[in-house]
PDB file of all heavy atoms in Angstrom:
ATOM      1  N   ILE A1313     192.476-268.652-107.808  1.00 79.00           N
ATOM      2  CA  ILE A1313     192.585-267.247-107.416  1.00 79.00           C
ATOM      3  C   ILE A1313     193.506-266.492-108.355  1.00 79.00           C
ATOM      4  O   ILE A1313     193.262-265.325-108.750  1.00 79.00           O
ATOM      5  CB  ILE A1313     193.013-267.101-105.943  1.00 79.00           C
ATOM      6  CG1 ILE A1313     191.886-267.589-105.067  1.00 79.00           C
ATOM      7  CG2 ILE A1313     193.453-265.683-105.610  1.00 79.00           C
ATOM      8  CD1 ILE A1313     192.299-267.731-103.578  1.00 79.00           C
ATOM      9  N   GLY A1314     194.619-267.093-108.723  1.00 74.00           N
ATOM     10  CA  GLY A1314     195.556-266.485-109.657  1.00 74.00           C
ATOM     11  C   GLY A1314     194.926-266.210-111.037  1.00 74.00           C
ATOM     12  O   GLY A1314     195.180-265.179-111.627  1.00 74.00           O
ATOM     13  N   VAL A1315     194.065-267.154-111.447  1.00 70.00           N
ATOM     14  CA  VAL A1315     193.374-266.940-112.749  1.00 70.00           C
ATOM     15  C   VAL A1315     192.341-265.869-112.635  1.00 70.00           C
ATOM     16  O   VAL A1315     192.276-265.009-113.519  1.00 70.00           O
ATOM     17  CB  VAL A1315     192.730-268.263-113.224  1.00 70.00           C
ATOM     18  CG1 VAL A1315     191.817-268.053-114.363  1.00 70.00           C
ATOM     19  CG2 VAL A1315     193.786-269.295-113.584  1.00 70.00           C
ATOM     20  N   ILE A1316     191.588-265.843-111.535  1.00 73.00           N
ATOM     21  CA  ILE A1316     190.496-264.834-111.380  1.00 73.00           C
ATOM     22  C   ILE A1316     191.083-263.442-111.277  1.00 73.00           C
ATOM     23  O   ILE A1316     190.546-262.505-111.855  1.00 73.00           O
ATOM     24  CB  ILE A1316     189.640-265.172-110.129  1.00 73.00           C
ATOM     25  CG1 ILE A1316     188.846-266.467-110.371  1.00 73.00           C
ATOM     26  CG2 ILE A1316     188.784-264.001-109.753  1.00 73.00           C
ATOM     27  CD1 ILE A1316     188.105-266.930-109.161  1.00 73.00           C
ATOM     28  N   THR A1317     192.211-263.314-110.575  1.00 73.00           N
ATOM     29  CA  THR A1317     192.834-262.007-110.414  1.00 73.00           C
ATOM     30  C   THR A1317     193.680-261.640-111.616  1.00 73.00           C
ATOM     31  O   THR A1317     194.333-260.623-111.654  1.00 73.00           O
ATOM     32  CB  THR A1317     193.715-261.930-109.142  1.00 73.00           C
ATOM     33  OG1 THR A1317     194.721-262.917-109.234  1.00 73.00           O
ATOM     34  CG2 THR A1317     192.837-262.193-107.898  1.00 73.00           C
ATOM     35  N   GLN A1318     193.673-262.504-112.607  1.00 66.00           N
ATOM     36  CA  GLN A1318     194.431-262.310-113.835  1.00 66.00           C
ATOM     37  C   GLN A1318     195.932-262.156-113.590  1.00 66.00           C
ATOM     38  O   GLN A1318     196.630-261.478-114.349  1.00 66.00           O
ATOM     39  CB  GLN A1318     193.857-261.129-114.708  1.00 66.00           C
ATOM     40  CG  GLN A1318     192.495-261.405-115.125  1.00 66.00           C
ATOM     41  CD  GLN A1318     191.934-260.310-116.038  1.00 66.00           C
ATOM     42  OE1 GLN A1318     192.628-259.345-116.353  1.00 66.00           O
ATOM     43  NE2 GLN A1318     190.738-260.484-116.515  1.00 66.00           N
ATOM     44  N   GLU A1319     196.369-262.779-112.546  1.00 63.00           N
ATOM     45  CA  GLU A1319     197.773-262.747-112.203  1.00 63.00           C
ATOM     46  C   GLU A1319     198.579-263.399-113.308  1.00 63.00           C
ATOM     47  O   GLU A1319     199.757-263.075-113.572  1.00 63.00           O
ATOM     48  CB  GLU A1319     197.964-263.498-110.893  1.00 63.00           C
ATOM     49  CG  GLU A1319     199.405-263.656-110.446  1.00 63.00           C
ATOM     50  CD  GLU A1319     199.488-264.467-109.176  1.00 63.00           C
ATOM     51  OE1 GLU A1319     198.538-264.474-108.364  1.00 63.00           O
ATOM     52  OE2 GLU A1319     200.541-265.129-108.967  1.00 63.00           O
ATOM     53  N   TYR A1320     197.994-264.378-114.025  1.00 62.00           N
ATOM     54  CA  TYR A1320     198.707-265.132-115.045  1.00 62.00           C
ATOM     55  C   TYR A1320     198.541-264.604-116.436  1.00 62.00           C
ATOM     56  O   TYR A1320     199.115-265.155-117.368  1.00 62.00           O
ATOM     57  CB  TYR A1320     198.292-266.610-114.946  1.00 62.00           C
ATOM     58  CG  TYR A1320     198.456-267.220-113.593  1.00 62.00           C
ATOM     59  CD1 TYR A1320     197.558-268.118-113.117  1.00 62.00           C
ATOM     60  CD2 TYR A1320     199.531-266.862-112.808  1.00 62.00           C
ATOM     61  CE1 TYR A1320     197.729-268.742-111.868  1.00 62.00           C
ATOM     62  CE2 TYR A1320     199.666-267.462-111.517  1.00 62.00           C
ATOM     63  CZ  TYR A1320     198.787-268.357-111.090  1.00 62.00           C
ATOM     64  OH  TYR A1320     198.934-268.929-109.894  1.00 62.00           O
ATOM     65  N   ARG A1321     197.746-263.589-116.603  1.00 67.00           N
ATOM     66  CA  ARG A1321     197.512-262.975-117.953  1.00 67.00           C
ATOM     67  C   ARG A1321     197.095-263.975-119.027  1.00 67.00           C
ATOM     68  O   ARG A1321     197.563-263.904-120.135  1.00 67.00           O
ATOM     69  CB  ARG A1321     198.794-262.199-118.335  1.00 67.00           C
ATOM     70  CG  ARG A1321     199.105-261.025-117.476  1.00 67.00           C
ATOM     71  CD  ARG A1321     200.357-260.318-117.961  1.00 67.00           C
ATOM     72  NE  ARG A1321     200.682-259.186-117.170  1.00 67.00           N
ATOM     73  CZ  ARG A1321     201.228-259.200-115.940  1.00 67.00           C
ATOM     74  NH1 ARG A1321     201.414-260.300-115.308  1.00 67.00           N
ATOM     75  NH2 ARG A1321     201.527-258.066-115.334  1.00 67.00           N
ATOM     76  N   GLY A1322     196.308-264.918-118.637  1.00 70.00           N
ATOM     77  CA  GLY A1322     195.738-265.867-119.584  1.00 70.00           C
ATOM     78  C   GLY A1322     196.634-267.037-119.947  1.00 70.00           C
ATOM     79  O   GLY A1322     196.258-267.916-120.709  1.00 70.00           O
ATOM     80  N   LYS A1323     197.843-267.084-119.386  1.00 78.00           N
ATOM     81  CA  LYS A1323     198.774-268.218-119.700  1.00 78.00           C
ATOM     82  C   LYS A1323     199.239-268.845-118.359  1.00 78.00           C
ATOM     83  O   LYS A1323     199.501-268.145-117.407  1.00 78.00           O
ATOM     84  CB  LYS A1323     199.995-267.690-120.482  1.00 78.00           C
ATOM     85  CG  LYS A1323     199.622-267.263-121.861  1.00 78.00           C
ATOM     86  CD  LYS A1323     200.824-266.892-122.640  1.00 78.00           C
ATOM     87  CE  LYS A1323     200.374-266.429-124.041  1.00 78.00           C
ATOM     88  NZ  LYS A1323     201.495-266.182-124.922  1.00 78.00           N
ATOM     89  N   LEU A1324     199.338-270.141-118.428  1.00 81.00           N
ATOM     90  CA  LEU A1324     199.871-270.878-117.261  1.00 81.00           C
ATOM     91  C   LEU A1324     201.090-271.672-117.701  1.00 81.00           C
ATOM     92  O   LEU A1324     201.044-272.359-118.733  1.00 81.00           O
ATOM     93  CB  LEU A1324     198.810-271.876-116.748  1.00 81.00           C
ATOM     94  CG  LEU A1324     197.556-271.262-116.082  1.00 81.00           C
ATOM     95  CD1 LEU A1324     196.613-272.384-115.709  1.00 81.00           C
ATOM     96  CD2 LEU A1324     197.979-270.463-114.836  1.00 81.00           C
ATOM     97  N   SER A1325     202.169-271.570-117.002  1.00 86.00           N
ATOM     98  CA  SER A1325     203.349-272.349-117.287  1.00 86.00           C
ATOM     99  C   SER A1325     203.372-273.581-116.350  1.00 86.00           C
ATOM    100  O   SER A1325     202.910-273.458-115.215  1.00 86.00           O
ATOM    101  CB  SER A1325     204.614-271.524-117.129  1.00 86.00           C
ATOM    102  OG  SER A1325     204.790-271.138-115.798  1.00 86.00           O
ATOM    103  N   TYR A1326     203.855-274.689-116.883  1.00 89.00           N
ATOM    104  CA  TYR A1326     203.903-275.884-116.058  1.00 89.00           C
ATOM    105  C   TYR A1326     205.258-276.551-116.228  1.00 89.00           C
ATOM    106  O   TYR A1326     205.972-276.316-117.214  1.00 89.00           O
ATOM    107  CB  TYR A1326     202.823-276.877-116.411  1.00 89.00           C
ATOM    108  CG  TYR A1326     202.972-277.472-117.807  1.00 89.00           C
ATOM    109  CD1 TYR A1326     203.713-278.604-117.993  1.00 89.00           C
ATOM    110  CD2 TYR A1326     202.415-276.827-118.903  1.00 89.00           C
ATOM    111  CE1 TYR A1326     203.865-279.161-119.260  1.00 89.00           C
ATOM    112  CE2 TYR A1326     202.587-277.375-120.189  1.00 89.00           C
ATOM    113  CZ  TYR A1326     203.307-278.521-120.343  1.00 89.00           C
ATOM    114  OH  TYR A1326     203.493-279.053-121.596  1.00 89.00           O
ATOM    115  N   GLU A1327     205.631-277.331-115.228  1.00 94.00           N
ATOM    116  CA  GLU A1327     206.848-278.123-115.306  1.00 94.00           C
ATOM    117  C   GLU A1327     206.544-279.466-114.666  1.00 94.00           C
ATOM    118  O   GLU A1327     206.137-279.497-113.556  1.00 94.00           O
ATOM    119  CB  GLU A1327     208.001-277.434-114.654  1.00 94.00           C
ATOM    120  CG  GLU A1327     209.299-278.228-114.695  1.00 94.00           C
ATOM    121  CD  GLU A1327     210.452-277.466-114.088  1.00 94.00           C
ATOM    122  OE1 GLU A1327     210.926-276.514-114.722  1.00 94.00           O
ATOM    123  OE2 GLU A1327     210.900-277.891-112.980  1.00 94.00           O
ATOM    124  N   MET A1328     206.773-280.525-115.413  1.00 94.00           N
ATOM    125  CA  MET A1328     206.606-281.873-114.855  1.00 94.00           C
ATOM    126  C   MET A1328     208.013-282.503-114.771  1.00 94.00           C
ATOM    127  O   MET A1328     208.763-282.541-115.713  1.00 94.00           O
ATOM    128  CB  MET A1328     205.722-282.712-115.780  1.00 94.00           C
ATOM    129  CG  MET A1328     205.527-284.125-115.261  1.00 94.00           C
ATOM    130  SD  MET A1328     204.402-285.094-116.307  1.00 94.00           S
ATOM    131  CE  MET A1328     205.118-284.990-117.917  1.00 94.00           C
ATOM    132  N   THR A1329     208.351-282.952-113.528  1.00 95.00           N
ATOM    133  CA  THR A1329     209.556-283.637-113.277  1.00 95.00           C
ATOM    134  C   THR A1329     209.286-285.035-112.675  1.00 95.00           C
ATOM    135  O   THR A1329     208.237-285.221-112.088  1.00 95.00           O
ATOM    136  CB  THR A1329     210.476-282.825-112.335  1.00 95.00           C
ATOM    137  OG1 THR A1329     209.755-282.598-111.106  1.00 95.00           O
ATOM    138  CG2 THR A1329     210.888-281.525-112.931  1.00 95.00           C
ATOM    139  N   GLY A1330     210.231-285.891-112.860  1.00 95.00           N
ATOM    140  CA  GLY A1330     210.052-287.216-112.248  1.00 95.00           C
ATOM    141  C   GLY A1330     211.244-288.086-112.485  1.00 95.00           C
ATOM    142  O   GLY A1330     212.249-287.643-113.011  1.00 95.00           O
ATOM    143  N   GLN A1331     211.064-289.324-112.077  1.00 94.00           N
ATOM    144  CA  GLN A1331     212.142-290.308-112.259  1.00 94.00           C
ATOM    145  C   GLN A1331     211.552-291.691-112.423  1.00 94.00           C
ATOM    146  O   GLN A1331     210.540-292.009-111.853  1.00 94.00           O
ATOM    147  CB  GLN A1331     213.109-290.245-111.123  1.00 94.00           C
ATOM    148  CG  GLN A1331     212.598-290.668-109.784  1.00 94.00           C
ATOM    149  CD  GLN A1331     213.614-290.553-108.702  1.00 94.00           C
ATOM    150  OE1 GLN A1331     214.759-290.227-108.925  1.00 94.00           O
ATOM    151  NE2 GLN A1331     213.190-290.794-107.465  1.00 94.00           N
ATOM    152  N   LEU A1332     212.263-292.487-113.218  1.00 92.00           N
ATOM    153  CA  LEU A1332     211.972-293.858-113.348  1.00 92.00           C
ATOM    154  C   LEU A1332     213.076-294.589-112.578  1.00 92.00           C
ATOM    155  O   LEU A1332     214.222-294.327-112.730  1.00 92.00           O
ATOM    156  CB  LEU A1332     212.078-294.349-114.822  1.00 92.00           C
ATOM    157  CG  LEU A1332     210.933-293.878-115.742  1.00 92.00           C
ATOM    158  CD1 LEU A1332     211.309-294.219-117.175  1.00 92.00           C
ATOM    159  CD2 LEU A1332     209.639-294.512-115.365  1.00 92.00           C
ATOM    160  N   ALA A1333     212.658-295.489-111.638  1.00 91.00           N
ATOM    161  CA  ALA A1333     213.625-296.270-110.899  1.00 91.00           C
ATOM    162  C   ALA A1333     213.905-297.539-111.707  1.00 91.00           C
ATOM    163  O   ALA A1333     213.009-298.257-112.128  1.00 91.00           O
ATOM    164  CB  ALA A1333     213.022-296.586-109.521  1.00 91.00           C
ATOM    165  N   GLY A1334     215.186-297.823-111.837  1.00 82.00           N
ATOM    166  CA  GLY A1334     215.609-299.015-112.566  1.00 82.00           C
ATOM    167  C   GLY A1334     216.243-299.998-111.639  1.00 82.00           C
ATOM    168  O   GLY A1334     216.348-299.777-110.427  1.00 82.00           O
ATOM    169  N   PRO A1335     216.617-301.125-112.189  1.00 73.00           N
ATOM    170  CA  PRO A1335     217.251-302.145-111.362  1.00 73.00           C
ATOM    171  C   PRO A1335     218.624-301.662-110.846  1.00 73.00           C
ATOM    172  O   PRO A1335     219.248-300.787-111.435  1.00 73.00           O
ATOM    173  CB  PRO A1335     217.428-303.314-112.345  1.00 73.00           C
ATOM    174  CG  PRO A1335     217.363-302.717-113.694  1.00 73.00           C
ATOM    175  CD  PRO A1335     216.516-301.485-113.573  1.00 73.00           C
ATOM    176  N   ALA A1336     219.061-302.202-109.766  1.00 66.00           N
ATOM    177  CA  ALA A1336     220.384-301.900-109.152  1.00 66.00           C
ATOM    178  C   ALA A1336     220.588-300.447-108.869  1.00 66.00           C
ATOM    179  O   ALA A1336     221.590-299.829-109.137  1.00 66.00           O
ATOM    180  CB  ALA A1336     221.503-302.418-110.079  1.00 66.00           C
ATOM    181  N   PHE A1337     219.575-299.780-108.304  1.00 62.00           N
ATOM    182  CA  PHE A1337     219.693-298.418-107.816  1.00 62.00           C
ATOM    183  C   PHE A1337     219.860-297.370-108.952  1.00 62.00           C
ATOM    184  O   PHE A1337     220.211-296.236-108.696  1.00 62.00           O
ATOM    185  CB  PHE A1337     220.807-298.225-106.779  1.00 62.00           C
ATOM    186  CG  PHE A1337     220.689-299.118-105.615  1.00 62.00           C
ATOM    187  CD1 PHE A1337     221.535-300.214-105.462  1.00 62.00           C
ATOM    188  CD2 PHE A1337     219.727-298.916-104.718  1.00 62.00           C
ATOM    189  CE1 PHE A1337     221.444-301.077-104.376  1.00 62.00           C
ATOM    190  CE2 PHE A1337     219.606-299.790-103.633  1.00 62.00           C
ATOM    191  CZ  PHE A1337     220.411-300.850-103.462  1.00 62.00           C
ATOM    192  N   ASN A1338     219.640-297.724-110.197  1.00 78.00           N
ATOM    193  CA  ASN A1338     219.697-296.790-111.287  1.00 78.00           C
ATOM    194  C   ASN A1338     218.395-295.991-111.335  1.00 78.00           C
ATOM    195  O   ASN A1338     217.318-296.556-111.196  1.00 78.00           O
ATOM    196  CB  ASN A1338     219.911-297.510-112.630  1.00 78.00           C
ATOM    197  CG  ASN A1338     221.237-298.099-112.765  1.00 78.00           C
ATOM    198  OD1 ASN A1338     222.186-297.641-112.086  1.00 78.00           O
ATOM    199  ND2 ASN A1338     221.381-299.116-113.567  1.00 78.00           N
ATOM    200  N   ARG A1339     218.518-294.690-111.522  1.00 85.00           N
ATOM    201  CA  ARG A1339     217.368-293.795-111.682  1.00 85.00           C
ATOM    202  C   ARG A1339     217.573-292.972-112.932  1.00 85.00           C
ATOM    203  O   ARG A1339     218.659-292.492-113.175  1.00 85.00           O
ATOM    204  CB  ARG A1339     217.253-292.900-110.462  1.00 85.00           C
ATOM    205  CG  ARG A1339     216.835-293.654-109.234  1.00 85.00           C
ATOM    206  CD  ARG A1339     216.555-292.697-108.114  1.00 85.00           C
ATOM    207  NE  ARG A1339     216.145-293.450-106.963  1.00 85.00           N
ATOM    208  CZ  ARG A1339     216.463-293.159-105.734  1.00 85.00           C
ATOM    209  NH1 ARG A1339     217.187-292.123-105.471  1.00 85.00           N
ATOM    210  NH2 ARG A1339     216.079-293.925-104.735  1.00 85.00           N
ATOM    211  N   LEU A1340     216.485-292.800-113.647  1.00 88.00           N
ATOM    212  CA  LEU A1340     216.573-291.972-114.847  1.00 88.00           C
ATOM    213  C   LEU A1340     215.573-290.828-114.651  1.00 88.00           C
ATOM    214  O   LEU A1340     214.373-291.029-114.548  1.00 88.00           O
ATOM    215  CB  LEU A1340     216.200-292.800-116.057  1.00 88.00           C
ATOM    216  CG  LEU A1340     216.543-292.227-117.411  1.00 88.00           C
ATOM    217  CD1 LEU A1340     218.047-291.865-117.503  1.00 88.00           C
ATOM    218  CD2 LEU A1340     216.220-293.270-118.492  1.00 88.00           C
ATOM    219  N   HIS A1341     216.075-289.601-114.583  1.00 90.00           N
ATOM    220  CA  HIS A1341     215.253-288.428-114.333  1.00 90.00           C
ATOM    221  C   HIS A1341     214.697-287.922-115.672  1.00 90.00           C
ATOM    222  O   HIS A1341     215.313-288.038-116.703  1.00 90.00           O
ATOM    223  CB  HIS A1341     216.046-287.323-113.682  1.00 90.00           C
ATOM    224  CG  HIS A1341     216.473-287.744-112.274  1.00 90.00           C
ATOM    225  ND1 HIS A1341     215.738-287.466-111.154  1.00 90.00           N
ATOM    226  CD2 HIS A1341     217.581-288.400-111.837  1.00 90.00           C
ATOM    227  CE1 HIS A1341     216.342-287.907-110.063  1.00 90.00           C
ATOM    228  NE2 HIS A1341     217.466-288.498-110.504  1.00 90.00           N
ATOM    229  N   PHE A1342     213.544-287.281-115.596  1.00 92.00           N
ATOM    230  CA  PHE A1342     212.964-286.615-116.797  1.00 92.00           C
ATOM    231  C   PHE A1342     212.353-285.333-116.407  1.00 92.00           C
ATOM    232  O   PHE A1342     212.030-285.066-115.240  1.00 92.00           O
ATOM    233  CB  PHE A1342     211.984-287.523-117.499  1.00 92.00           C
ATOM    234  CG  PHE A1342     210.763-287.933-116.653  1.00 92.00           C
ATOM    235  CD1 PHE A1342     209.639-287.109-116.540  1.00 92.00           C
ATOM    236  CD2 PHE A1342     210.746-289.121-115.981  1.00 92.00           C
ATOM    237  CE1 PHE A1342     208.560-287.475-115.826  1.00 92.00           C
ATOM    238  CE2 PHE A1342     209.663-289.536-115.192  1.00 92.00           C
ATOM    239  CZ  PHE A1342     208.560-288.682-115.122  1.00 92.00           C
ATOM    240  N   MET A1343     212.188-284.434-117.375  1.00 93.00           N
ATOM    241  CA  MET A1343     211.543-283.143-117.181  1.00 93.00           C
ATOM    242  C   MET A1343     210.841-282.743-118.458  1.00 93.00           C
ATOM    243  O   MET A1343     211.321-282.968-119.557  1.00 93.00           O
ATOM    244  CB  MET A1343     212.554-282.082-116.789  1.00 93.00           C
ATOM    245  CG  MET A1343     211.892-280.755-116.535  1.00 93.00           C
ATOM    246  SD  MET A1343     212.916-279.293-116.388  1.00 93.00           S
ATOM    247  CE  MET A1343     213.865-279.271-117.850  1.00 93.00           C
ATOM    248  N   SER A1344     209.678-282.137-118.281  1.00 91.00           N
ATOM    249  CA  SER A1344     208.920-281.655-119.430  1.00 91.00           C
ATOM    250  C   SER A1344     208.289-280.312-118.931  1.00 91.00           C
ATOM    251  O   SER A1344     207.770-280.264-117.869  1.00 91.00           O
ATOM    252  CB  SER A1344     207.830-282.638-119.813  1.00 91.00           C
ATOM    253  OG  SER A1344     207.033-282.144-120.835  1.00 91.00           O
ATOM    254  N   LYS A1345     208.385-279.291-119.763  1.00 90.00           N
ATOM    255  CA  LYS A1345     207.804-278.039-119.365  1.00 90.00           C
ATOM    256  C   LYS A1345     207.180-277.336-120.561  1.00 90.00           C
ATOM    257  O   LYS A1345     207.543-277.659-121.722  1.00 90.00           O
ATOM    258  CB  LYS A1345     208.741-277.115-118.618  1.00 90.00           C
ATOM    259  CG  LYS A1345     209.928-276.708-119.435  1.00 90.00           C
ATOM    260  CD  LYS A1345     210.824-275.843-118.531  1.00 90.00           C
ATOM    261  CE  LYS A1345     212.123-275.448-119.218  1.00 90.00           C
ATOM    262  NZ  LYS A1345     212.947-274.609-118.412  1.00 90.00           N
ATOM    263  N   GLY A1346     206.267-276.415-120.280  1.00 87.00           N
ATOM    264  CA  GLY A1346     205.643-275.711-121.354  1.00 87.00           C
ATOM    265  C   GLY A1346     204.677-274.691-120.785  1.00 87.00           C
ATOM    266  O   GLY A1346     204.681-274.345-119.608  1.00 87.00           O
ATOM    267  N   GLU A1347     203.814-274.228-121.706  1.00 85.00           N
ATOM    268  CA  GLU A1347     202.849-273.209-121.348  1.00 85.00           C
ATOM    269  C   GLU A1347     201.569-273.456-122.106  1.00 85.00           C
ATOM    270  O   GLU A1347     201.577-273.915-123.236  1.00 85.00           O
ATOM    271  CB  GLU A1347     203.482-271.832-121.725  1.00 85.00           C
ATOM    272  CG  GLU A1347     202.682-270.630-121.285  1.00 85.00           C
ATOM    273  CD  GLU A1347     203.445-269.385-121.631  1.00 85.00           C
ATOM    274  OE1 GLU A1347     203.315-268.925-122.802  1.00 85.00           O
ATOM    275  OE2 GLU A1347     204.169-268.840-120.799  1.00 85.00           O
ATOM    276  N   PHE A1348     200.428-273.196-121.460  1.00 75.00           N
ATOM    277  CA  PHE A1348     199.192-273.282-122.201  1.00 75.00           C
ATOM    278  C   PHE A1348     198.330-272.074-121.939  1.00 75.00           C
ATOM    279  O   PHE A1348     198.447-271.427-120.868  1.00 75.00           O
ATOM    280  CB  PHE A1348     198.400-274.567-121.906  1.00 75.00           C
ATOM    281  CG  PHE A1348     198.099-274.825-120.495  1.00 75.00           C
ATOM    282  CD1 PHE A1348     196.922-274.385-119.905  1.00 75.00           C
ATOM    283  CD2 PHE A1348     198.995-275.508-119.632  1.00 75.00           C
ATOM    284  CE1 PHE A1348     196.639-274.635-118.593  1.00 75.00           C
ATOM    285  CE2 PHE A1348     198.719-275.752-118.341  1.00 75.00           C
ATOM    286  CZ  PHE A1348     197.499-275.339-117.803  1.00 75.00           C
ATOM    287  N   THR A1349     197.568-271.671-122.922  1.00 77.00           N
ATOM    288  CA  THR A1349     196.723-270.505-122.838  1.00 77.00           C
ATOM    289  C   THR A1349     195.345-270.893-122.364  1.00 77.00           C
ATOM    290  O   THR A1349     194.728-271.871-122.873  1.00 77.00           O
ATOM    291  CB  THR A1349     196.633-269.840-124.310  1.00 77.00           C
ATOM    292  OG1 THR A1349     197.974-269.606-124.702  1.00 77.00           O
ATOM    293  CG2 THR A1349     195.854-268.563-124.221  1.00 77.00           C
ATOM    294  N   LEU A1350     194.839-270.123-121.417  1.00 67.00           N
ATOM    295  CA  LEU A1350     193.495-270.369-120.929  1.00 67.00           C
ATOM    296  C   LEU A1350     192.429-269.839-121.922  1.00 67.00           C
ATOM    297  O   LEU A1350     192.715-268.850-122.594  1.00 67.00           O
ATOM    298  CB  LEU A1350     193.324-269.667-119.582  1.00 67.00           C
ATOM    299  CG  LEU A1350     194.177-270.213-118.474  1.00 67.00           C
ATOM    300  CD1 LEU A1350     194.082-269.320-117.229  1.00 67.00           C
ATOM    301  CD2 LEU A1350     193.836-271.630-118.105  1.00 67.00           C
ATOM    302  N   PRO A1351     191.278-270.477-121.995  1.00 68.00           N
ATOM    303  CA  PRO A1351     190.241-269.988-122.918  1.00 68.00           C
ATOM    304  C   PRO A1351     189.807-268.579-122.549  1.00 68.00           C
ATOM    305  O   PRO A1351     189.706-268.217-121.372  1.00 68.00           O
ATOM    306  CB  PRO A1351     189.087-270.959-122.693  1.00 68.00           C
ATOM    307  CG  PRO A1351     189.702-272.176-122.063  1.00 68.00           C
ATOM    308  CD  PRO A1351     190.892-271.704-121.330  1.00 68.00           C
ATOM    309  N   ALA A1352     189.612-267.763-123.539  1.00 65.00           N
ATOM    310  CA  ALA A1352     189.195-266.335-123.337  1.00 65.00           C
ATOM    311  C   ALA A1352     187.868-266.238-122.601  1.00 65.00           C
ATOM    312  O   ALA A1352     187.645-265.243-121.879  1.00 65.00           O
ATOM    313  CB  ALA A1352     189.098-265.596-124.700  1.00 65.00           C
TER     314      ALA A1352
END
């Protein structure tokens, strides 16, 4: 609906977050974000 109503003006931003669980309660967090353009 956001794409159809052109709420995003042809671009979508994303953010991926997560964590890797390690031994002995260690956790390592990560994040990746960016933007991609929708086809015209």
